Amino acid sequence: MIDAHAHFEFYKKDAPKVIEECRRELRAVVDSMTEYRKAHVWKSWELLKPHFGFIFPTLGYHPNEARRGNWEKVGKVEAFIRGHSEEIVATGEIGLDYHYAENERQRENQRAIFRHFLELALELDLPVVIHAREAEREAFELVQRAGVNAYFHSYAGSVELAKEIAENGHVIGINTGIVFIPEVRAVAEKIGLENLLVETDSPYMSPVKGQRNTPCNVRIAVEWIAKLQGLEPEDVGRETEKNAVEFFGLEVEG
């Protein structure tokens, strides 16, 4: 199995231990290193670089940071992405999050910075990892205008939009929140396996209340999809792994 979206950097000093635990159960993890407050992409890179080969990195600029409209910081992150464009498998996570954007100015900051990084991804010929919360339709429309190939991670929007996303050749992430989020279950039931990836968004979205999530829990998302679609977990794991390899262009060991 492959966890298509996690954040090992947020485990800080525990990161090496968690990574080694996951190596025993998973073939790979895609880690979306995204600029957000004190989580600087260059610090995350240095922490996780020794584990590349099992970890496949993406680099982005989180919409909850983008709402601040700090273009000086945008420039620094863009320069870092350009400097590592041959080593990353996607640009992201980037996107729109209207849950925390307090006013229209913050939302416009998010839109402008999102468009900026979509254009960068197109220039670098990279797919994108999309974070869209309470703004799924708008994020999809911006992706379509940019003409990039997108992974809508931790998707919790409508089934109708999910079908449209899939019909346009993009992929959708089903995370371990499937245990407690009805919208995630609805999408997992109705969208074909060929358009799905599985993820944990670790250390968030824990399927067990009170426990820190880890990429090893991606099997829970696999098991739920299998149950909802009447499939064998082994088949779901195999197909979603193939989808991740193809979307990100992963060279997985073993």
Side-chain angles (χ1 to χ4, degrees), residues 219-235:
R219 61 179 171 73
I220 294 174
V222 166
E223 290 165 358
W224 269 83
I225 294 170
K227 180 170 67 173
L228 290 166
Q229 295 199 14
L231 302 169
E232 292 298 322
E234 293 78 11
D235 294 334

Side-chain angles (χ1 to χ4, degrees), residues 13 23 32 49 65 73 83 126 158 178 184 186 214 242 250:
K13 63 179 173 40
R23 276 185 185 272
S32 283
K49 188 175 180 179
E65 181 64 33
K73 198 180 211 187
L126 287 167
S158 71
I178 194 171
V184 176
T214 77
K242 180 173 77 71
L250 306 182

Side-chain angles (χ1 to χ4, degrees), residues 16-249:
K17 177 186 174 185
V18 178
I19 292 166
E20 289 311 308
E21 289 172 354
C22 293
R23 276 185 185 272
R24 293 194 285 269
E25 296 189 31
L26 305 177
R27 292 195 71 198
V29 175
V30 178
D31 192 292
S32 283
M33 304 178 200
T34 188
E35 187 72 14
Y36 185 33
R37 295 184 180 175
K38 294 181 180 180
H40 300 305
V41 289
W42 41 89
K43 290 184 179 179
S44 300
W45 187 273
E46 288 308 310
L47 175 67
L48 300 184
K49 188 175 180 179
H51 307 281
F52 287 178
F54 172 67
I55 294 175
F56 291 87
T58 80
L59 290 169
Y61 201 101
H62 200 283
N64 288 333
E65 181 64 33
R67 67 192 171 107
R68 305 172 196 280
N70 186 337
W71 283 92
E72 181 181 356
K73 198 180 211 187
V74 167
K76 290 179 180 178
V77 174
E78 178 184 345
F80 193 81
I81 292 173
R82 287 183 180 278
H84 296 84
S85 62
E86 298 297 320
E87 301 167 84
I88 60 177
V89 296
T91 300
E93 61 192 277
I94 56 176
L96 303 173
D97 190 323
Y98 289 170
H99 184 78
Y100 290 109
E102 297 171 357
N103 50 53
E104 183 56 29
R105 182 175 181 180
Q106 291 189 358
R107 292 185 175 192
E108 183 51 43
N109 286 339
Q110 286 188 356
R111 293 184 197 108
I113 292 172
F114 183 30
R115 287 192 293 264
H116 181 81
F117 283 103
L118 286 172
E119 290 169 3
L120 178 63
L122 190 64
E123 178 189 337
L124 299 176
D125 193 27
L126 287 167
V128 293
V129 178
I130 302 299
H131 172 115
R133 186 178 185 187
E134 297 177 20
E136 289 87 357
R137 166 62 64 180
E138 188 174 350
F140 169 65
E141 290 174 352
L142 287 170
V143 162
Q144 288 296 96
R145 283 191 213 123
V148 293
N149 194 19
Y151 170 41
F152 286 78
H153 109 84
S154 287
Y155 182 84
S158 71
V159 171
E160 291 72 26
L161 179 58
K163 289 179 179 177
E164 198 171 341
I165 288 169
E167 287 165 2
N168 280 275
H170 308 295
V171 290
I172 294 168
I174 301 299
N175 69 25
T176 40
I178 194 171
V179 172
F180 55 88
I181 303 174
E183 291 84 357
V184 176
R185 289 199 294 273
V187 171
E189 182 178 10
K190 299 296 184 181
I191 301 301
L193 202 57
E194 66 276 10
N195 297 112
L196 299 181
L197 304 185
V198 287
E199 61 166 276
T200 61
D201 202 11
S202 297
Y204 311 108
M205 291 293 172
S206 176
V208 181
K209 190 173 182 179
Q211 289 186 15
R212 183 174 65 175
N213 203 7
T214 77
C216 297
N217 286 332
V218 75
R219 61 179 171 73
I220 294 174
V222 166
E223 290 165 358
W224 269 83
I225 294 170
K227 180 170 67 173
L228 290 166
Q229 295 199 14
L231 302 169
E232 292 298 322
E234 293 78 11
D235 294 334
V236 174
R238 188 181 311 111
E239 185 69 18
T240 54
E241 180 178 305
K242 180 173 77 71
N243 295 344
V245 167
E246 291 178 354
F247 178 81
F248 290 111

